Amino acid sequence: ITKSTMVPLKRRKLVSSHTENVEAKGSETTVKFPQIVIFLVERKMGASRRVFLSQLGRSKGFKVEELYSERITHVVSENNCIDEVRTWLESHVRGQSLPPAHLLDVSWYTESMRAGHPVEILERHKLQEQQDNESEDVFSVPNYACQRRTTLQNHNTVLTEALSILAENAELNEEDGRGIAFRRAEAVLKALPRAVRKLTELKGLPCLGEHSLRIIKDILEKGVSSEVEATKQSERYKALKLLTGIFGVGAKTADRWITMGIYNLQQLQSSGPTLNQAQQAGLEHYEDLNQPVTRAEADHIGEIVRRVVLCVLPGAQLTLIGGFRRGKPTGHDVDFLITHPEEGREVGLLPKVVSLLKSQGFLLYQKTTKNSYLESEDRPTQPSSNMDRFERCFSIFRLKSHQESAEVRGNGSESRPKSWRAVRVDLVVSPISQFAFALLGWTGSKLFERELRRWAGHEKAMSLSSHALYDTKQNSYLRAASEEEIFAHLDLEYIPPSERNA
């Protein structure tokens, strides 16, 4: 880890701001369009996006000022009407008269960036009057989910649950594009500060496509969406949900079984194909594995695993990740991230941990994969899938109840209730040098992580994974010892785990 990556976060921001000011002053000698002086309004745009757009403009030869003054010729804003911008400007120039300037939508700016020169100002580029008299009724959120704070509480559950069903149905049918579109729309609604009352409040929000808006409109006007209700009652949807609920069964396998006429567990058991070891274990423990795991159960499992890990490798660290780290009270499985403060000490740990857990009767099924991550000097190698390549154990854990006694275990009585339950548990091992990236990647939510990678690629020309962050402009890896440092590298405000529930 280089010294530069160890600069404290607050100090780094000050250095960054100084650098930006120097760049801004230096860019005056390379301005291509001196007759145009641009000011970007931060309202609704956000500080991070404003910094990014300012740097982009300067790199293209535009003069972009940090402060509003009489020299400004073009005022650019995002998702604002003309009155909102005038009010904002008046409040920031402290009563001074506003110099004449073009008040423009950000579309003029982005089109000019693409063209490499100022494009002609058309009517559609000019800020319009507020269409809805109640301007406060129009919501505003940043474009990327990783820029938003999304808690577990949601003011629009009726709408988000409807979109979630359509997203899930698309994912089960391997229509990834539609699934992502519904998930992004759902995430926008989750981030809103209050319930949506009418469709016009959503005007200008990102990620809300025509299909999603049609579903929202139906629910707001009728209380229900016929498309969502039809999906929930669909035999195929119900069969796909049930069959993919089997541990080791994905959408492709479930679809193949449905084409064979298998729609339920009874048909699968009586006339289904031969199952692999994971699917056999998943079918045997189906009822347990489809019951929610509580936080208390997750903590209990964590105590058992931590005891075994420390027995094998003193000083090793175990962290509960996934939805539980984001504050969820229940989950469908339990994930743990294991590392050691000394690089390399984690090598060979997992097989020993799995062997000891198995010998103590805790594992009903387990499959271990080796670490296949190789860091290239040129750039990160592209994985064959979105999965990371850490050493990992997928397992079904035998969680004993606190009431279990030697007498119950020994008498073999069929009348007594089962004294244990099966729980899905994943163990992931990371070197300490990759731990911050692994922690960020495995905390979720899935969409939050997808949006982080999209932001890194589209906005910062970087490649982010659960292993590393690579700057494609600098052709170098950016090291980080904490999640906060990764957010800082990406020029994003740090968002704690409890607010990543996109």
Side-chain angles (χ1 to χ4, degrees):
I1 299 175
T2 62
K3 290 183 179 179
S4 62
T5 62
M6 298 303 290
V7 175
L9 187 58
K10 290 184 178 178
R11 184 180 163 194
R12 183 203 307 281
K13 285 185 175 178
L14 291 172
V15 172
S16 177
S17 297
H18 173 70
T19 303
E20 288 165 13
N21 290 335
V22 171
E23 289 177 353
K25 291 176 182 176
S27 67
E28 291 180 356
T29 60
T30 57
V31 171
K32 296 179 182 177
F33 317 105
Q35 74 280 13
I36 292 177
V37 184
I38 300 170
F39 176 78
L40 300 177
V41 177
E42 187 171 311
R43 184 180 191 273
K44 294 188 179 179
M45 182 180 291
S48 297
R49 180 161 166 77
R50 182 173 185 258
V51 168
F52 169 75
L53 290 176
S54 298
Q55 291 173 341
L56 177 63
R58 292 173 189 135
S59 72
K60 299 282 187 178
F62 288 81
K63 191 172 184 62
V64 184
E65 296 279 9
E66 290 296 321
L67 300 175
Y68 191 82
S69 71
E70 61 183 8
R71 297 197 302 167
I72 302 299
T73 61
H74 293 62
V75 175
V76 174
S77 75
E78 192 168 32
N79 295 327
N80 290 284
C81 70
I82 192 167
D83 289 335
E84 289 174 321
V85 170
R86 284 172 177 159
T87 301
W88 191 91
L89 290 173
E90 287 170 354
S91 69
H92 284 72
V93 298
R94 298 180 181 177
Q96 300 175 29
S97 59
L98 293 176
H102 295 289
L103 302 183
L104 303 173
D105 181 73
V106 73
S107 59
W108 174 84
Y109 189 83
T110 54
E111 288 174 25
S112 298
M113 295 304 105
R114 281 197 295 269
H117 60 80
V119 299
E120 180 186 358
I121 297 175
L122 303 176
E123 192 64 26
R124 62 184 172 84
H125 293 136
K126 299 176 182 177
L127 293 186
Q128 305 298 314
E129 299 292 339
Q130 177 62 253
Q131 297 299 311
D132 189 337
N133 292 330
E134 300 178 31
S135 60
E136 67 276 10
D137 283 347
V138 179
F139 291 111
S140 175
V141 298
N143 290 342
Y144 291 80
C146 57
Q147 296 173 290
R148 310 179 206 131
R149 294 176 177 269
T150 312
T151 62
L152 288 171
Q153 287 70 42
N154 170 12
H155 298 284
N156 292 282
T157 52
V158 174
L159 300 176
T160 57
E161 286 172 3
L163 293 175
S164 180
I165 289 169
L166 296 182
E168 182 183 39
N169 185 54
E171 291 158 358
L172 290 171
N173 284 284
E174 298 186 279
E175 298 172 342
D176 293 340
R178 291 182 70 241
I180 292 170
F182 285 129
R183 292 295 182 198
R184 285 180 177 151
E186 176 191 357
V188 167
L189 297 179
K190 283 184 175 181
L192 299 182
R194 59 169 174 78
V196 177
R197 297 190 298 264
K198 51 188 177 180
L199 202 62
T200 53
E201 295 174 330
L202 303 178
K203 182 181 177 182
L205 289 185
C207 307
L208 295 179
E210 290 183 10
H211 197 158
S212 295
L213 287 171
R214 189 165 65 247
I215 300 301
I216 295 168
K217 182 175 184 289
D218 285 348
I219 295 174
L220 291 177
E221 293 179 355
K222 306 171 189 174
V224 67
S225 162
S226 57
E227 182 181 344
V228 173
E229 293 307 305
T231 299
K232 287 161 62 177
Q233 298 306 316
S234 162
E235 291 301 317
R236 176 175 173 80
Y237 171 74
K238 289 189 283 188
L240 283 170
K241 269 185 70 72
L242 184 136
L243 295 174
T244 54
I246 302 171
F247 178 75
V249 176
K252 284 185 179 177
T253 300
D255 178 65
R256 188 172 70 249
W257 289 350
I258 290 173
T259 61
M260 296 166 59
I262 298 169
Y263 283 79
N264 56 52
L265 302 185
Q266 292 73 30
Q267 292 171 334
L268 182 62
Q269 289 170 316
S270 61
S271 59
T274 303
L275 306 181
N276 62 34
Q277 187 181 0
Q279 293 163 354
Q280 289 174 9
L283 187 58
E284 180 182 353
H285 303 292
Y286 183 88
E287 186 176 341
D288 275 1
L289 298 181
N290 282 274
Q291 292 296 317
V293 186
T294 66
R295 178 60 192 255
E297 289 173 323
D299 289 339
H300 186 194
I301 294 170
E303 292 171 8
I304 296 168
V305 175
R306 180 176 284 104
R307 189 164 59 244
V308 170
V309 167
L310 291 176
C311 177
V312 174
L313 181 62
Q317 300 170 355
L318 183 82
T319 305
L320 179 63
I321 48 181
F324 287 115
R325 185 167 183 254
R326 301 198 310 274
K328 294 184 73 173
T330 61
H332 69 279
D333 63 359
V334 188
D335 303 320
F336 295 102
L337 183 59
I338 305 170
T339 192
H340 191 281
E342 211 175 305
E343 184 84 5
R345 290 292 302 278
E346 79 288 343
V347 176
L349 168 65
L350 192 59
K352 296 175 184 177
V353 169
V354 170
S355 177
L356 193 51
L357 285 170
K358 188 174 182 180
S359 69
Q360 295 178 2
F362 287 113
L363 298 185
L364 299 165
Y365 167 86
Q366 75 284 336
K367 180 183 179 181
T368 304
T369 61
K370 294 182 179 179
N371 188 331
S372 61
Y373 176 75
L374 293 174
E375 187 170 289
S376 166
E377 290 184 3
D378 298 328
R379 60 183 59 246
T381 55
Q382 292 298 317
S384 57
S385 71
N386 289 330
M387 295 286 285
D388 58 56
R389 290 166 284 171
F390 289 113
E391 186 175 23
R392 182 185 310 152
C393 176
F394 300 98
S395 75
I396 299 178
F397 201 89
R398 186 180 188 273
L399 179 61
K400 303 173 185 177
S401 68
H402 293 295
Q403 288 76 31
E404 183 175 22
S405 65
E407 180 182 354
V408 172
R409 290 196 301 270
N411 64 18
S413 171
E414 294 296 328
S415 61
R416 293 182 180 272
K418 191 173 75 169
S419 55
W420 57 272
R421 67 161 294 194
V423 178
R424 275 196 56 190
V425 175
D426 289 348
L427 305 177
V428 184
V429 176
S430 164
I432 192 65
S433 60
Q434 299 171 32
F435 178 77
F437 298 100
L439 183 63
L440 178 60
W442 273 83
T443 294
S445 64
K446 186 176 180 179
L447 183 75
F448 188 91
E449 300 302 327
R450 180 186 290 275
E451 292 285 274
L452 267 177
R453 295 192 296 270
R454 191 165 72 96
W455 167 272
H458 290 188
E459 307 292 343
K460 306 303 296 179
M462 296 179 184
S463 173
L464 174 67
S465 72
S466 292
H467 295 275
L469 178 63
Y470 187 82
D471 189 325
T472 57
K473 288 183 178 178
Q474 303 290 332
N475 291 324
S476 63
Y477 287 92
L478 302 177
R479 307 302 178 184
S482 67
E483 290 180 314
E484 288 88 344
E485 285 193 58
I486 301 173
F487 277 85
H489 282 317
L490 294 170
D491 285 334
L492 285 171
E493 180 185 3
Y494 175 71
I495 295 180
S498 61
E499 296 178 325
R500 300 178 199 167
N501 291 285

